[in-house]
């Protein structure tokens, strides 16, 4: 029971405290808050009063750099088509018609030579990126502070900024066609006149080389041109094969007569008498004597007699013996007597 009544008392106290706060707000509601923006320095000082404004009679201020509804000042537009090209969602539709001459100037002095036959912006597609306002050369396309443009039909979000009627657009297009046709005729006439007045191209003369005539006896011979400078050839010192010294005399700095290069012949050392002969030939070559002709090499073949089985060479005199003629082979036939008294032959080899 004590807990039950204690909860009732606690609940009643909380209710009375809330009614006290509400009654206090009723007393402060006699005043209303001023419509100032967040950027105002006194924004956080207004803590009391009614915060709700009577829209659209009262509105909070919008910052100047806010990106909201697009607006185009058509009198300053030169129809350059840059905004339509840079738009990422293709919400700008432009139809240009070129004029035959200058039709006016913008507020910054830029010449206008194109009519804006159509300049529509579909705000239902716009993503409020602001790229179109950045690339505009005359700054005629801007984003306004108008943020409340809600409608029941999406077609109402297509804003038309061109001030030309359909008849005026057709008239300007016909004028442009006539101007282009006259321009083409003038070009064709100028080309025909230029072709008629142009001189025929002269034939290119054939090339004939000039030949200088030979000077006669009575005429003076022309001066000769200086001879061409000889090509540089570096001098290389050569070393003699025998003396291993350069072929230049160091005293008078005059080169010696170049000797004929000897033919390379391999030297073979021989044992015994042959070695002595080779040393003699070297001495003769050093003395400058002519070298004896080398005998033709003929190999010696030892032959063996059929009967004596000895070589046909005399080891003492080293002279070959006279070759004996080879005997003719004749088989021997023995006669044998038989019992009948008849003789039979038997050949033996």
């Amino acid at each position: 029971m004590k807990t039950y009544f204690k909860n009732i008392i606690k609940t009643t106290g909380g209710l009375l405290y809330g009614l006290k706060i509400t009654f206090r707000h009723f007393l402060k509601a006699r005043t209303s808050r001023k419509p100032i923006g967040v950027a105002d320095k006194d924004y956080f000082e207004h803590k009391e009063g009614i915060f709700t404004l009577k829209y659209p009679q009262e509105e909070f201020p919008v910052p100047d750099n806010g990106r909201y509804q697009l607006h185009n000042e058509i009198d300053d537009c030169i129809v350059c088509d840059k905004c339509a090209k840079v738009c990422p969602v293709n919400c700008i539709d432009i139809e240009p018609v070129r004029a035959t001459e200058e039709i006016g100037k913008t507020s910054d002095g830029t010449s206008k030579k194109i009519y804006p036959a159509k300049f529509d912006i579909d705000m239902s597609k716009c993503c409020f990126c602001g790229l179109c306002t950045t690339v505009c050369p005359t700054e005629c396309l801007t984003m306004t502070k108008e943020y409340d443009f809600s409608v029941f039909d999406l077609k109402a979000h297509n804003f038309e900024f061109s001030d030309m009627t359909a008849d005026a657009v057709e008239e300007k297009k016909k004028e442009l066609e006539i101007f282009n046709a006259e321009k083409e005729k003038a070009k064709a006439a100028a080309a025909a006149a230029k072709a008629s007045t142009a001189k025929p191209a002269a034939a290119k003369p054939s090339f004939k080389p000039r030949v200088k005539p030979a000077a006669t006896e009575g005429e003076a011979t022309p001066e000769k041109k200086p001879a061409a400078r000889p090509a540089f050839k570096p001098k290389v010192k050569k070393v003699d094969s025998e003396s291993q010294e350069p072929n230049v005399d160091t005293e008078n700095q005059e080169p010696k007569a170049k000797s004929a290069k000897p033919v390379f012949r391999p030297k073979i050392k021989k044992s015994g008498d042959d070695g002595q002969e080779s040393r003699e030939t070297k001495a003769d070559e050093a003395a400058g004597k002519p070298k004896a002709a080398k005998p033709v090499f003929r190999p010696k073949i030892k032959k063996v007699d059929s009967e004596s089985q000895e070589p046909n060479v005399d080891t003492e005199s080293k002279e070959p013996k006279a070759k004996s003629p080879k005997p003719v082979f004749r088989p021997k036939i023995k006669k044998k007597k038989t019992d009948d008294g008849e003789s039979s032959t038997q050949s033996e080899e």
Side-chain angles (χ1 to χ4, degrees):
M1 293 296 291
K2 292 181 181 180
T3 305
Y4 175 74
F5 289 105
K6 189 176 180 180
N7 291 336
I8 292 174
I9 294 170
K10 187 176 180 180
T11 303
T12 304
L15 181 59
L16 294 174
Y17 183 78
L19 291 173
K20 179 182 177 181
I21 294 173
T22 303
F23 184 72
R24 188 186 301 168
H25 279 288
F26 275 128
L27 295 176
K28 293 179 180 180
R30 291 175 296 177
T31 60
S32 61
R33 181 182 175 184
K34 294 180 180 180
I36 59 177
V38 180
D40 197 320
K41 61 181 181 179
D42 298 332
Y43 178 80
F44 293 100
E45 294 181 1
H46 295 273
K47 300 179 181 180
E48 299 178 356
I50 299 174
F51 290 172
T52 304
L53 299 180
K54 296 179 181 180
Y55 184 82
Q57 288 79 12
E58 294 179 352
E59 294 180 6
F60 284 112
V62 178
D64 295 334
N65 57 354
R67 295 197 293 263
Y68 299 103
Q69 185 178 348
L70 282 168
H71 174 73
N72 183 30
E73 192 65 35
I74 199 65
D75 294 335
D76 289 340
C77 183
I78 59 174
V79 198
C80 62
D81 201 25
K82 289 184 178 180
C83 54
K85 291 178 181 177
V86 78
C87 182
V89 292
N90 298 326
C91 69
I92 302 176
D93 188 12
I94 299 175
E95 183 183 352
V97 177
R98 189 171 293 278
T100 57
E101 57 185 5
E102 185 178 340
I103 59 178
K105 291 184 179 295
T106 61
S107 58
D108 61 352
T110 307
S111 299
K112 295 174 64 176
K113 297 181 180 179
I114 303 175
Y115 291 104
K118 182 180 180 181
F119 199 108
D120 297 349
I121 299 177
D122 192 355
M123 291 305 299
S124 62
K125 297 179 181 178
C126 183
C127 63
F128 305 97
C129 62
L131 292 176
C132 54
T133 62
T134 305
V135 299
C136 184
T138 59
E139 298 182 358
C140 65
L141 191 62
T142 57
M143 279 189 160
T144 63
K145 297 180 181 181
E146 183 66 29
Y147 58 86
D148 185 10
F149 46 90
S150 57
V151 291
F152 292 101
D153 189 5
L154 288 177
K155 293 180 181 179
H157 274 169
N158 188 25
F159 295 94
E160 298 177 357
F161 294 98
S162 177
D163 54 357
M164 295 182 67
T165 60
D167 296 337
V169 172
E170 291 295 330
E171 183 181 353
K172 299 301 179 184
K173 287 182 179 180
K174 289 180 181 179
E175 289 180 2
L176 181 63
E177 291 177 359
I178 295 171
F179 177 78
N180 290 334
E182 291 178 355
K183 191 174 180 180
E184 291 294 332
K185 288 181 181 178
K187 283 184 178 180
K194 187 176 181 180
S196 61
T197 57
K199 295 181 181 179
K204 190 175 181 180
S206 58
F207 174 74
K208 295 180 180 180
R210 296 181 180 179
V211 181
K212 292 183 179 180
T216 59
E217 295 180 358
E219 295 179 356
T221 57
E223 295 181 358
K224 294 183 179 180
K225 295 183 179 180
R229 189 176 180 182
F232 173 73
K233 295 181 179 179
K235 297 180 179 180
V236 182
K237 294 182 180 181
K238 296 184 178 180
V239 181
D240 295 336
S241 59
E242 296 179 358
S243 61
Q244 299 294 330
E245 294 180 359
N247 195 11
V248 178
D249 189 3
T250 57
E251 294 181 359
N252 51 11
Q253 299 293 330
E254 293 181 359
K256 296 180 181 179
K258 188 176 179 181
S259 59
K261 189 176 180 179
V263 181
F264 174 73
R265 293 176 180 174
K267 298 177 182 180
I268 303 172
K269 292 182 179 181
K270 297 182 179 180
S271 59
D273 298 336
D274 294 337
Q276 185 176 0
E277 291 177 2
S278 63
R279 285 193 294 273
E280 292 177 358
T281 54
K282 285 183 181 179
D284 295 342
E285 289 179 359
K289 294 181 179 180
K291 188 177 180 180
K294 188 176 181 180
V296 180
F297 173 72
R298 294 179 180 176
K300 296 178 180 180
I301 303 172
K302 295 180 180 181
K303 296 183 179 181
V304 181
D305 295 336
S306 58
E307 296 179 358
S308 60
Q309 298 293 330
E310 294 180 357
N312 196 11
V313 179
D314 188 5
T315 56
E316 295 180 358
S317 60
K318 294 185 179 180
E319 293 181 0
K321 296 179 180 181
K323 186 177 179 182
S324 58
K326 189 176 181 180
V328 180
F329 175 72
R330 293 178 181 178
K332 296 178 181 180
I333 302 172
K334 292 182 179 181
K335 296 181 180 181
K336 185 179 180 181
K337 292 181 180 182
T338 58
D339 297 337
D340 300 333
E342 293 179 0
S343 61
S344 62
T345 61
Q346 186 178 1
S347 63
E348 292 181 358
E349 293 180 3

